[in-house]
Amino acid sequence: MPRVVSSHRKPSLLLFLLLSMHLVLMASSVRGSRGGSLLEDTLLTVFSPFLRGASSMTSGVAGTWRRYGGLRGVEEENRRLRAQVGTLLLQAREAEEARREADRLRALLGLRDTAVPGAIAARVIARGGAGSARVLLLDRGSSQGIARQQPVITPRGAVGRVVEAAPGVSKVLSLVDPNSGVAALVQRTRVQGVLVGEGEDTCRLEFVSDEAPVEVGDVVVTSGLDAIFPKGILLGVVSEVGEAQGLTRYVQVRPEVDPHRLEEVLVLHGVEGTEAAAVPALPGDGS
Amino acid sequence: MNFAKALLGLGAAALAQMLLGQHAPALAERCDLFTIFTVYAALTRPPRTAVVLGSAAGLLQDALTGVVLGLNGFKKTLLAYLVGTLGSLFMLNQPVPRFGILFAAAFFDPLASLLLSLAMGQQHVFPGLGDLVLRGLGNGLVGLVTFWVAARLP
């Protein structure tokens, strides 16, 4: 308790000492150089961790605030850049499409020039089918010289035949349509048959004798006997050979050309049953 | 333990003053947390402790603000003594008189600075009356809030 009483006494002496100390400090600070005060240096040294902590805290707060402000700007910029990226991607895709289209057209032109003089390049503008029917609509028609029963091909192989031709537009029955029939032969063994569509993605080679040498992987080409397709145009590859059913056997053929992915085709005219052995299978039409 | 808590309070006041100085300089000019701390110490601590705490607060303020070392130490020591003396003579535990003390402290500070500067042959610019009133109001309001918070701390 004496300490408490003592501490409540008037601190005259203590006050005097402290004020004197401060006066001395002030006097020395004013007289000497500002950096030369030992006490000030000591105080700064003692409080430097505190200062550093405070500084880093304020820097952290300020940095957070700046980042927040920056982020608001970034969000705006992000939105703008995202829109720009979208536009550029669209342009890039368009450019890529144009390049691929040019490649395909070059291939078609090459095919037309080298093999079949009477060919009309056409673009697939629609595709459809009711039930298992598979038809394609082309942007060329009778006004461009397209007529019914003309074969339609791509550099990779046969597509189908024209079943209707109107001015400016024509309809093509693809190989996979059940109503399609193309005279065909197995390239390796020369076994002949008729390639008929199965409605989906495959065809079957009909009238193949049960003893005919046909294997999976055999290439099937047009035989030219239907007087529609030139001989030797690639139709597809044998994908399945079934057991004998009476005198014949089931031979499934997967067409080389996928009608779902077609974009440009060639319509041949004036090539009735002609030899098309010179027609090269040009790679890279993308279909 | 009490002295340690007081030092902790002093550190908090210094930190808050620095933060105010960096992010709300207008408020920092109208509110001296070292003065508020000194007044609080003088009103709630024994006179000797209050004088020592006031002296420490002034020295810390000198070290942090870069003014002549000892200037704020002298002022705060004297302020702690004067407020402590007033506290022993009058009832200063109500908000209104405390506000008055804080308001008056805003006038005492530049006045003491002026006198000390004159004594040491230093230049000193005395603030305008409007500015002083604003400082007094700032000190008073922030001080009362600080006192209210500090009284509820464990």
Side-chain angles (χ1 to χ4, degrees), chain A residues 6-8 10-11 14-15 18-19 22-23 25-26 29-30 34 37 40 43-44 47 50-51 54 57-58 62, chain B residues 11 15 18-19 22-23 46-48 51-52 55 59-60 63-64 66-67 69-71 73-74 77 81 85 120 122:
Chain A
S6 165
S7 68
H8 279 81
K10 285 211 171 207
L14 182 64
L15 177 69
L18 287 172
L19 290 179
H22 290 305
L23 281 173
L25 280 175
M26 275 189 284
S29 291
V30 170
R34 292 286 292 111
S37 166
E40 188 173 0
L43 271 174
L44 283 173
F47 286 114
F50 176 75
L51 285 172
M57 179 180 266
T58 53
Chain B
L15 181 62
M18 283 186 69
L19 288 171
Q22 285 203 17
H23 302 291
R48 285 185 174 185
V51 167
V52 171
S55 184
L59 271 179
L60 183 56
L64 295 178
V67 296
L69 190 65
L71 180 67
F74 188 94
T77 306
Y81 175 76
T85 305
M120 289 184 295
Q122 301 287 303

Side-chain angles (χ1 to χ4, degrees), chain B residues 106-130:
Chain B
F107 285 80
F108 168 80
D109 195 85
L111 187 63
S113 290
L114 175 67
L115 294 174
L116 286 169
S117 298
L118 287 175
M120 289 184 295
Q122 301 287 303
Q123 296 292 325
H124 182 78
V125 179
F126 197 80
L129 185 64

Side-chain angles (χ1 to χ4, degrees), chain A residues 27-279:
Chain A
S28 63
S29 291
V30 170
R31 268 205 303 271
S33 64
R34 292 286 292 111
S37 166
L38 180 63
L39 183 63
E40 188 173 0
D41 287 351
T42 308
L43 271 174
L44 283 173
T45 307
V46 167
F47 286 114
S48 61
F50 176 75
L51 285 172
R52 273 198 293 272
S55 174
S56 62
M57 179 180 266
T58 53
S59 302
V61 171
T64 305
W65 181 254
R66 266 200 307 277
R67 274 194 293 278
Y68 169 70
L71 278 176
R72 288 179 66 195
V74 163
E75 191 182 350
E76 181 92 12
E77 193 180 5
N78 247 354
R79 204 175 296 128
R80 188 172 54 76
L81 288 175
R82 230 177 262 138
Q84 211 168 4
V85 165
T87 309
L88 289 173
L89 275 176
L90 204 63
Q91 286 174 354
R93 272 191 216 118
E94 283 173 359
E96 177 65 15
E97 283 303 302
R99 190 185 66 76
R100 288 179 184 227
E101 185 180 2
D103 288 348
R104 288 193 301 270
L105 291 175
R106 262 197 296 273
L108 280 173
L109 284 171
L111 173 62
R112 185 179 65 182
D113 293 345
T114 57
V116 190
I120 300 165
R123 189 186 300 271
V124 176
I125 54 175
R127 71 199 78 221
S132 55
R134 294 289 179 269
V135 294
L136 307 170
L137 280 183
L138 307 183
D139 67 343
R140 295 287 188 272
S142 55
S143 52
Q144 283 83 32
I146 293 178
R148 292 180 73 242
Q149 303 300 346
Q150 285 178 338
V152 180
I153 64 170
T154 72
R156 294 193 65 170
V159 175
R161 61 188 164 92
V162 177
V163 289
E164 274 184 44
V169 66
S170 53
K171 188 191 287 184
V172 176
L173 194 67
S174 71
L175 294 180
V176 293
D177 190 287
N179 296 308
S180 165
V182 178
L185 60 84
V186 178
Q187 197 174 47
R188 181 177 63 88
T189 58
R190 316 311 286 177
V191 171
Q192 299 204 3
V194 175
L195 191 74
V196 177
E198 289 190 314
E200 295 301 327
D201 297 330
T202 56
C203 303
R204 65 178 181 277
L205 191 59
E206 291 195 338
F207 312 117
V208 176
S209 162
D210 61 338
E211 294 177 351
V214 179
E215 293 175 4
V216 172
D218 279 345
V219 174
V220 179
V221 297
T222 55
S223 67
L225 294 178
D226 53 12
I228 295 176
F229 281 91
K231 188 177 180 182
I233 293 181
L234 180 62
L235 287 170
V237 178
V238 174
S239 56
E240 185 184 335
V241 178
E243 293 297 316
Q245 298 169 336
L247 297 176
T248 61
R249 66 167 56 185
Y250 174 75
V251 178
Q252 189 188 62
V253 176
R254 184 166 292 279
E256 188 65 20
V257 177
D258 182 0
H260 301 293
R261 295 167 57 193
L262 273 178
E263 290 175 69
E264 293 91 17
V265 296
L266 277 180
V267 182
L268 308 181
H269 58 88
V271 287
E272 265 183 45
T274 54
E275 179 68 46
V279 176

